[in-house]
Short mmCIF file of all heavy atoms in Angstrom, two decimals:
data_model
loop_
_atom_site.label_atom_id
_atom_site.label_comp_id
_atom_site.label_asym_id
_atom_site.label_seq_id
_atom_site.Cartn_x
_atom_site.Cartn_y
_atom_site.Cartn_z
N PRO A 269 0.83 24.99 1.03
CA PRO A 269 -0.58 24.79 1.37
C PRO A 269 -0.99 25.60 2.59
O PRO A 269 -0.18 25.85 3.48
CB PRO A 269 -0.68 23.29 1.66
CG PRO A 269 0.64 22.69 1.29
CD PRO A 269 1.63 23.78 1.19
N GLU A 270 -2.25 26.00 2.62
CA GLU A 270 -2.78 26.66 3.80
C GLU A 270 -2.79 25.67 4.97
O GLU A 270 -3.06 24.49 4.79
CB GLU A 270 -4.21 27.14 3.55
CG GLU A 270 -4.32 28.28 2.56
CD GLU A 270 -3.82 29.59 3.15
OE1 GLU A 270 -3.64 29.65 4.39
OE2 GLU A 270 -3.60 30.53 2.38
N PRO A 271 -2.43 26.13 6.18
CA PRO A 271 -2.46 25.20 7.32
C PRO A 271 -3.87 24.68 7.56
O PRO A 271 -4.86 25.38 7.34
CB PRO A 271 -1.98 26.08 8.49
CG PRO A 271 -2.21 27.48 8.05
CD PRO A 271 -2.05 27.49 6.55
N ARG A 272 -3.91 23.43 8.00
CA ARG A 272 -5.21 22.82 8.26
C ARG A 272 -5.91 23.54 9.40
O ARG A 272 -5.30 23.85 10.43
CB ARG A 272 -5.01 21.35 8.64
CG ARG A 272 -6.32 20.58 8.84
CD ARG A 272 -6.03 19.19 9.37
NE ARG A 272 -5.34 18.41 8.37
CZ ARG A 272 -5.93 17.67 7.44
NH1 ARG A 272 -7.25 17.65 7.39
NH2 ARG A 272 -5.21 16.99 6.58
N LYS A 273 -7.18 23.82 9.21
CA LYS A 273 -7.94 24.50 10.24
C LYS A 273 -8.15 23.56 11.42
O LYS A 273 -8.47 22.38 11.25
CB LYS A 273 -9.30 24.95 9.69
CG LYS A 273 -9.20 26.06 8.65
CD LYS A 273 -10.57 26.50 8.21
CE LYS A 273 -10.47 27.62 7.19
NZ LYS A 273 -11.84 28.05 6.72
N LYS A 274 -7.93 24.11 12.60
CA LYS A 274 -8.12 23.31 13.81
C LYS A 274 -9.60 23.11 14.07
O LYS A 274 -10.40 24.02 13.91
CB LYS A 274 -7.47 23.98 15.01
CG LYS A 274 -5.95 24.01 14.95
CD LYS A 274 -5.37 24.61 16.23
CE LYS A 274 -3.85 24.58 16.18
NZ LYS A 274 -3.25 25.16 17.42
N MET A 275 -9.91 21.89 14.45
CA MET A 275 -11.30 21.58 14.78
C MET A 275 -11.66 22.26 16.10
O MET A 275 -10.86 22.29 17.04
CB MET A 275 -11.49 20.07 14.91
CG MET A 275 -11.22 19.31 13.63
SD MET A 275 -12.53 19.55 12.41
CE MET A 275 -13.87 18.68 13.19
N ALA A 276 -12.83 22.80 16.14
CA ALA A 276 -13.30 23.40 17.40
C ALA A 276 -13.46 22.30 18.44
O ALA A 276 -13.89 21.19 18.11
CB ALA A 276 -14.62 24.11 17.16
N PRO A 277 -13.06 22.57 19.67
CA PRO A 277 -13.21 21.54 20.69
C PRO A 277 -14.67 21.13 20.86
O PRO A 277 -15.57 21.97 20.83
CB PRO A 277 -12.67 22.21 21.96
CG PRO A 277 -12.72 23.67 21.68
CD PRO A 277 -12.53 23.83 20.22
N ARG A 278 -14.85 19.82 21.02
CA ARG A 278 -16.21 19.32 21.16
C ARG A 278 -16.78 19.70 22.53
O ARG A 278 -16.07 19.75 23.52
CB ARG A 278 -16.24 17.80 21.01
CG ARG A 278 -15.89 17.32 19.62
CD ARG A 278 -16.20 15.85 19.46
NE ARG A 278 -15.52 15.03 20.46
CZ ARG A 278 -15.73 13.74 20.61
NH1 ARG A 278 -16.63 13.12 19.85
NH2 ARG A 278 -15.06 13.05 21.52
N ALA A 279 -18.05 19.96 22.52
CA ALA A 279 -18.71 20.31 23.78
C ALA A 279 -18.70 19.09 24.71
O ALA A 279 -18.78 17.95 24.26
CB ALA A 279 -20.14 20.75 23.52
N SER A 280 -18.55 19.37 25.98
CA SER A 280 -18.52 18.31 26.98
C SER A 280 -19.64 18.53 27.99
O SER A 280 -20.04 19.67 28.25
CB SER A 280 -17.17 18.30 27.70
OG SER A 280 -17.22 17.51 28.86
N ARG A 281 -20.14 17.43 28.52
CA ARG A 281 -21.17 17.55 29.55
C ARG A 281 -20.66 18.30 30.78
O ARG A 281 -21.43 18.84 31.56
CB ARG A 281 -21.65 16.16 29.97
CG ARG A 281 -22.37 15.40 28.87
CD ARG A 281 -22.73 14.00 29.35
NE ARG A 281 -23.41 13.24 28.32
CZ ARG A 281 -23.76 11.96 28.44
NH1 ARG A 281 -23.48 11.33 29.57
NH2 ARG A 281 -24.37 11.33 27.46
N LEU A 282 -19.34 18.32 30.93
CA LEU A 282 -18.75 18.97 32.10
C LEU A 282 -18.65 20.48 31.94
O LEU A 282 -18.45 21.19 32.93
CB LEU A 282 -17.36 18.38 32.37
CG LEU A 282 -16.68 18.74 33.67
CD1 LEU A 282 -17.47 18.19 34.87
CD2 LEU A 282 -15.25 18.23 33.70
N ASP A 283 -18.79 20.98 30.72
CA ASP A 283 -18.52 22.40 30.46
C ASP A 283 -19.27 23.33 31.40
O ASP A 283 -18.70 24.29 31.94
CB ASP A 283 -18.86 22.74 29.01
CG ASP A 283 -17.82 22.19 28.03
OD1 ASP A 283 -16.75 21.74 28.50
OD2 ASP A 283 -18.08 22.18 26.82
N GLU A 284 -20.56 23.08 31.60
CA GLU A 284 -21.35 24.01 32.43
C GLU A 284 -20.96 23.94 33.90
O GLU A 284 -21.28 24.86 34.68
CB GLU A 284 -22.84 23.70 32.28
CG GLU A 284 -23.26 22.33 32.76
CD GLU A 284 -24.77 22.13 32.65
OE1 GLU A 284 -25.50 22.84 33.38
OE2 GLU A 284 -25.19 21.28 31.85
N PHE A 285 -20.25 22.88 34.31
CA PHE A 285 -19.86 22.73 35.71
C PHE A 285 -18.41 23.14 35.96
O PHE A 285 -17.97 23.19 37.11
CB PHE A 285 -20.07 21.30 36.17
CG PHE A 285 -21.49 20.82 36.01
CD1 PHE A 285 -21.83 19.94 34.99
CD2 PHE A 285 -22.48 21.26 36.87
CE1 PHE A 285 -23.14 19.51 34.84
CE2 PHE A 285 -23.80 20.83 36.74
CZ PHE A 285 -24.13 19.95 35.70
N LYS A 286 -17.66 23.42 34.91
CA LYS A 286 -16.25 23.77 35.09
C LYS A 286 -16.06 25.03 35.94
O LYS A 286 -15.17 25.06 36.79
CB LYS A 286 -15.58 23.93 33.72
CG LYS A 286 -15.33 22.60 33.02
CD LYS A 286 -14.67 22.78 31.67
CE LYS A 286 -14.41 21.43 31.00
NZ LYS A 286 -13.80 21.58 29.66
N PRO A 287 -16.87 26.09 35.75
CA PRO A 287 -16.70 27.26 36.64
C PRO A 287 -16.90 26.91 38.11
O PRO A 287 -16.23 27.47 38.98
CB PRO A 287 -17.76 28.24 36.13
CG PRO A 287 -17.99 27.84 34.71
CD PRO A 287 -17.85 26.36 34.68
N LEU A 288 -17.82 26.00 38.40
CA LEU A 288 -18.05 25.58 39.78
C LEU A 288 -16.85 24.84 40.34
O LEU A 288 -16.44 25.05 41.49
CB LEU A 288 -19.30 24.69 39.86
CG LEU A 288 -20.63 25.35 39.45
CD1 LEU A 288 -21.73 24.29 39.38
CD2 LEU A 288 -21.00 26.44 40.45
N ILE A 289 -16.27 23.95 39.52
CA ILE A 289 -15.09 23.22 39.97
C ILE A 289 -13.92 24.17 40.19
O ILE A 289 -13.20 24.07 41.20
CB ILE A 289 -14.71 22.14 38.92
CG1 ILE A 289 -15.82 21.10 38.79
CG2 ILE A 289 -13.39 21.46 39.30
CD1 ILE A 289 -15.59 20.09 37.69
N ASP A 290 -13.75 25.12 39.26
CA ASP A 290 -12.66 26.10 39.41
C ASP A 290 -12.83 26.91 40.70
O ASP A 290 -11.84 27.22 41.39
CB ASP A 290 -12.63 27.04 38.21
CG ASP A 290 -12.16 26.34 36.94
OD1 ASP A 290 -11.81 25.14 37.02
OD2 ASP A 290 -12.15 26.98 35.88
N GLU A 291 -14.06 27.24 41.02
CA GLU A 291 -14.32 28.01 42.24
C GLU A 291 -13.91 27.21 43.48
O GLU A 291 -13.32 27.74 44.42
CB GLU A 291 -15.81 28.37 42.31
CG GLU A 291 -16.19 29.23 43.50
CD GLU A 291 -17.67 29.56 43.52
OE1 GLU A 291 -18.32 29.43 42.46
OE2 GLU A 291 -18.16 29.93 44.60
#
Side-chain angles (χ1 to χ4, degrees):
E270 291 287 346
R272 184 186 294 272
K273 292 183 179 179
K274 292 184 178 180
M275 298 287 291
R278 293 191 304 173
S280 166
R281 294 176 181 176
L282 190 65
D283 286 349
E284 63 177 294
F285 302 105
K286 286 180 179 178
L288 297 171
I289 297 174
D290 290 357
E291 183 180 341

